[in-house]
Amino acid sequence: MAGTIPNDELDWVKVREDLDSSYVTETIWQKAKRKTKENPLVPIGALATTAALTVGLVSFVKGKEQMQQYMMRARVGAQAFTIVCMVIGFVMIPRSN
């Protein structure tokens, strides 16, 4: 029987079909929305970090040294806030399931 393939060698095909039918794909926007609902403070911290960095860089270009230093310190604070929120989110995940 050189041309026939035993059924047990094709079991992986059935497993793959079962996995594909139960797997739900989501777009990047759906995933972002889901993650924001799970931990809404992380995107807020990321936006605060981005805003502080942008204002700091604009102040640097305009030569406003004091404002630039203030914004860079604010950026570090916003980054710390974001990291703390991420850690709290990771700690809370097992408890929510």
Side-chain angles (χ1 to χ4, degrees):
M1 295 209 291
T4 61
I5 300 172
N7 285 340
D8 59 337
E9 288 186 23
L10 295 178
D11 285 343
W12 64 272
V13 174
K14 178 69 173 141
V15 170
R16 178 63 188 249
E17 289 173 356
D18 291 342
L19 287 174
D20 286 344
S21 66
S22 65
Y23 184 72
V24 178
T25 57
E26 60 184 354
T27 66
I28 186 115
W29 298 112
Q30 291 170 333
K31 184 176 182 178
K33 188 176 179 181
R34 178 177 54 86
K35 292 287 189 179
T36 301
K37 285 182 182 178
E38 289 174 6
N39 196 348
L41 295 178
V42 171
I44 292 170
L47 288 174
T49 302
T50 304
L53 179 62
T54 303
V55 172
L57 289 173
V58 169
S59 297
F60 175 73
V61 169
K62 290 183 177 181
K64 299 179 181 178
E65 288 183 26
Q66 190 171 5
M67 183 63 155
Q68 184 248 342
Q69 286 295 317
Y70 176 73
M71 285 290 106
M72 290 302 111
R73 291 182 184 127
R75 176 191 58 84
V76 171
Q79 282 179 314
F81 172 79
T82 304
I83 291 170
V84 167
C85 290
M86 288 171 55
V87 169
I88 290 172
F90 286 133
V91 170
M92 299 298 285
I93 285 174
R95 295 182 185 160
S96 65
N97 290 336

